Amino acid sequence: MTLFRTLFLVLAVSSLSVYSRPTDGHLRNMDSFICAVQQVEDSNPGLCPLALLRALRRTAGHDDPLTIHFLGSSNSLNDTELLETAILNATSFSFFDKAIHHIVTDHGEERGVVLAPDGTTVALAPLLLGIEMGLKAKIEGEPADGIFPLTLGRNLGLSFLSLQDFPPSHRLGPDGCWDSVDQPKVFKLYRIPTLATNAVISGGMDGAILGTNISQLSASEEPPALSQILKGYYSYILQEGQGLDGVSTHISPNRRETSRSILEPLDLHSQVMKTLALVWKVESTEWIAKDTGVGKAVKDGLQAFVYRYWDCPQIIPRCHWGAKPYQREPESLSLPVPFLYIHHTYEPASPCLTFQTCSRNMRSMQRYHQEDRGWIDIGYSFVIGSDGYVYEGRGWKNLGTHTRGHNAIGYGVSIIGNYTAALPTRHSMDLLRHRLVRCAVDGGMLAVNFTIQGHRQVTSTACPGDAFFSEISSWERFRE
């Protein structure tokens, strides 16, 4: 009787809560999601983060057989957890259901994803499953064996198998565009989706990282609230002059490097095959394992995954930084090109540390190149910020306007800032020197025996600045 009365009181009070506003107008960004989580926590002091995550899973309808195998049913709750779930459902069921439940519509809209502060798009379901698995392992003192299967293994394996007739590169992705990065509500994919869209993979990486971090907390450490876990990873502040060089904790711009360091030692092929076998067992579809092509499909798919999501850096697409259309159809490059030309922007002179600032810088440069210079678009092939990301300019396939007389034979890549007297951050230079270059060579866009040159070597300019030019002159593949 006491529990019933309490639930009735909760339902009555909740009708006056902040969640009584219409849910259809909610912005689909990580900040809004964290705010909603924190409001639930604030209205329920002492709420166990594991119970909250189970309630979120129940709300989104994610009690599939594999999830139940590792995490148990979200309906198997004690009286206290039932009360907590009632609070969640009564106040915010509609919001969390729409925010978390992952689906792609017939019109190519991907739902259950949010725009993170760093400009990337993240699926919430694999993110939350990874955190829940880590919390369960930490609290109950059990191995966190379910982190990889729940965050990445299942989606990767099933995607590889469902599209065996397609090239491996088409068994993953795609990315998409938001209707507005300032007021994001609709995310449309570029092409027909796989089961492992870019957002699902990013959310899976983040879930694997955060789940692993939590599972490795010492016995004396209390797990933080869910909102604090998410804030620490997504709502960081980079220090001027240091950027990612000064970061010692795990944050979202480093998801590719961090997830690789955690997952690559596990033998991914073996882990995906084990995950698939478990999926078929718990779903009573073990006859699928008789398909002799499973092993090859997983091997080919993982090779594409490692190249696309670990070897290559994450590139912020034009639609995310607010690019205007080309003023006329761009010419195509003949690939692979033999040269890589290094620039600094000079103006903007200051390194950009956030997605918002870097995007504003990109729009400013595009406006100058189109309106003042009369070019069809921003001149660079790619631009690198100090926020940890590469920004798409003309891209891999299109002829740029970056190095007079040499545009047809090379890519022009610039780092935002004036590097006459100071160097870019080490992370920004590594993105260019190692990650972007490796991606270009392995993808057949840049010749294996390519040459690096500074802008000043082929035209009359001080670019890329004295300090930066001195640095690149020591890089492998640099030629006078």
Side-chain angles (χ1 to χ4, degrees), residues 256 260 264 303 305-313 434-436 438-439 442:
R256 295 194 175 198
R260 184 172 202 163
E264 195 169 40
Q303 186 176 0
F305 167 79
V306 168
Y307 167 72
R308 183 168 173 177
Y309 297 98
W310 282 350
D311 292 344
C312 291
H434 301 299
R435 305 285 302 289
L436 192 65
R438 179 177 181 180
C439 181
D442 290 351

Side-chain angles (χ1 to χ4, degrees), residues 138-197:
K138 155 64 179 167
I139 292 172
E140 299 179 4
E142 299 176 352
D145 295 339
I147 288 181
F148 177 74
L150 293 174
T151 58
L152 287 168
R154 168 176 46 187
N155 289 323
L156 290 178
L158 294 177
S159 189
F160 298 155
L161 295 187
S162 65
L163 298 170
Q164 289 186 65
D165 294 335
F166 290 78
S169 61
H170 283 69
R171 300 176 200 172
L172 297 165
D175 203 349
C177 290
W178 288 96
D179 55 340
S180 166
V181 293
D182 296 320
Q183 303 284 319
K185 294 182 180 179
V186 177
F187 187 70
K188 295 289 289 289
L189 296 173
Y190 294 150
R191 57 173 171 83
I192 296 173
T194 69
L195 295 175
T197 64

Side-chain angles (χ1 to χ4, degrees), residues 20 29 79 91 141 193 195 220 275 344 407:
S20 60
N29 57 36
D79 283 356
T91 59
L195 295 175
S220 61
T275 299
H344 70 167
N407 294 314

Side-chain angles (χ1 to χ4, degrees), residues 5 16 22 24 48 67 93 114 141 158 189 214 222 224 238 255 279 308 318 325 339 351 365 400 405 424 438:
R5 289 177 176 173
L16 303 176
D24 291 344
C48 172
T67 301
F93 179 92
V114 294
L158 294 177
L189 296 173
I214 294 164
E222 282 292 322
L238 299 180
R255 68 165 59 87
V279 168
R308 183 168 173 177
R318 294 170 59 87
F339 286 91
M365 288 186 287
R438 179 177 181 180

Side-chain angles (χ1 to χ4, degrees), residues 59-82:
T59 299
H62 287 160
D63 260 3
D64 57 85
L66 186 71
T67 301
I68 292 173
H69 174 82
F70 285 111
L71 296 175
S73 172
S74 61
N75 292 307
S76 301
L77 306 176
N78 57 40
D79 283 356
T80 301
E81 290 171 329
L82 277 169

Side-chain angles (χ1 to χ4, degrees), residues 68-386:
I68 292 173
H69 174 82
F70 285 111
L71 296 175
S73 172
S74 61
N75 292 307
S76 301
L77 306 176
N78 57 40
D79 283 356
T80 301
E81 290 171 329
L82 277 169
L83 175 58
E84 290 166 345
T85 304
I87 292 171
L88 176 63
N89 288 344
T91 59
S92 52
F93 179 92
S94 180
F95 169 76
F96 284 117
D97 177 42
K98 292 180 180 180
I100 300 170
H101 185 71
H102 186 265
I103 189 173
V104 178
T105 70
D106 292 341
H107 301 290
E109 178 188 348
E110 187 174 14
R111 299 176 181 173
V113 301
V114 294
L115 179 64
D118 64 1
T120 60
T121 302
V122 175
L124 289 171
L127 164 67
L128 296 177
L129 288 175
I131 296 173
E132 184 179 348
M133 185 71 249
L135 279 168
K136 184 175 186 293
K138 155 64 179 167
I139 292 172
E140 299 179 4
E142 299 176 352
D145 295 339
I147 288 181
F148 177 74
L150 293 174
T151 58
L152 287 168
R154 168 176 46 187
N155 289 323
L156 290 178
L158 294 177
S159 189
F160 298 155
L161 295 187
S162 65
L163 298 170
Q164 289 186 65
D165 294 335
F166 290 78
S169 61
H170 283 69
R171 300 176 200 172
L172 297 165
D175 203 349
C177 290
W178 288 96
D179 55 340
S180 166
V181 293
D182 296 320
Q183 303 284 319
K185 294 182 180 179
V186 177
F187 187 70
K188 295 289 289 289
L189 296 173
Y190 294 150
R191 57 173 171 83
I192 296 173
T194 69
L195 295 175
T197 64
N198 280 19
V200 167
I201 290 176
S202 291
M205 288 180 177
D206 293 348
I209 293 166
L210 293 172
T212 300
N213 288 350
I214 294 164
S215 71
Q216 294 175 348
L217 291 174
S218 68
S220 61
E221 292 180 273
E222 282 292 322
L226 177 58
S227 62
Q228 294 306 309
I229 294 171
L230 297 175
K231 281 182 182 180
Y233 188 75
Y234 294 106
S235 303
Y236 53 86
I237 297 176
L238 299 180
Q239 297 301 312
E240 192 169 339
Q242 297 184 39
L244 288 174
D245 293 354
V247 174
S248 58
T249 58
H250 292 159
I251 58 175
S252 57
N254 285 331
R255 68 165 59 87
R256 295 194 175 198
E257 300 96 317
T258 306
S259 63
R260 184 172 202 163
S261 68
I262 292 172
L263 299 175
E264 195 169 40
L266 299 180
D267 180 2
L268 289 188
H269 186 272
S270 172
Q271 291 297 317
V272 172
M273 292 296 289
K274 287 179 180 178
T275 299
L276 288 174
L278 183 56
V279 168
W280 298 327
K281 179 180 179 181
V282 297
E283 294 184 353
S284 301
T285 54
E286 293 171 279
W287 55 268
I288 300 177
K290 297 178 181 179
D291 184 344
T292 57
V294 171
K296 185 178 186 306
V298 170
K299 179 181 177 182
D300 292 345
L302 282 173
Q303 186 176 0
F305 167 79
V306 168
Y307 167 72
R308 183 168 173 177
Y309 297 98
W310 282 350
D311 292 344
C312 291
Q314 185 142 2
I315 298 174
I316 302 295
R318 294 170 59 87
C319 61
H320 277 199
W321 60 260
K324 292 181 179 179
Y326 286 93
Q327 294 190 338
R328 64 177 182 275
E329 192 68 22
E331 297 179 47
S332 297
L333 284 168
S334 179
L335 304 179
V337 295
F339 286 91
L340 178 64
Y341 299 108
I342 308 297
H343 299 248
H344 70 167
T345 61
Y346 188 73
E347 289 289 345
S350 299
C352 60
L353 297 172
T354 66
F355 165 66
Q356 291 74 18
T357 303
C358 293
S359 296
R360 187 164 58 247
N361 289 167
M362 292 294 292
R363 294 192 297 271
S364 175
M365 288 186 287
Q366 186 191 43
R367 184 167 53 249
Y368 172 68
H369 289 174
Q370 287 183 327
E371 297 177 7
D372 294 8
R373 292 291 187 92
W375 300 345
I376 64 169
D377 190 38
I378 188 171
Y380 305 117
S381 306
F382 297 96
V383 178
I384 297 175
S386 295

Side-chain angles (χ1 to χ4, degrees), residues 334 336-341 408-411 445-452:
S334 179
V337 295
F339 286 91
L340 178 64
Y341 299 108
I409 59 173
Y411 292 115
M445 287 84 75
L446 190 62
V448 174
N449 60 342
F450 73 96
T451 296
I452 289 178

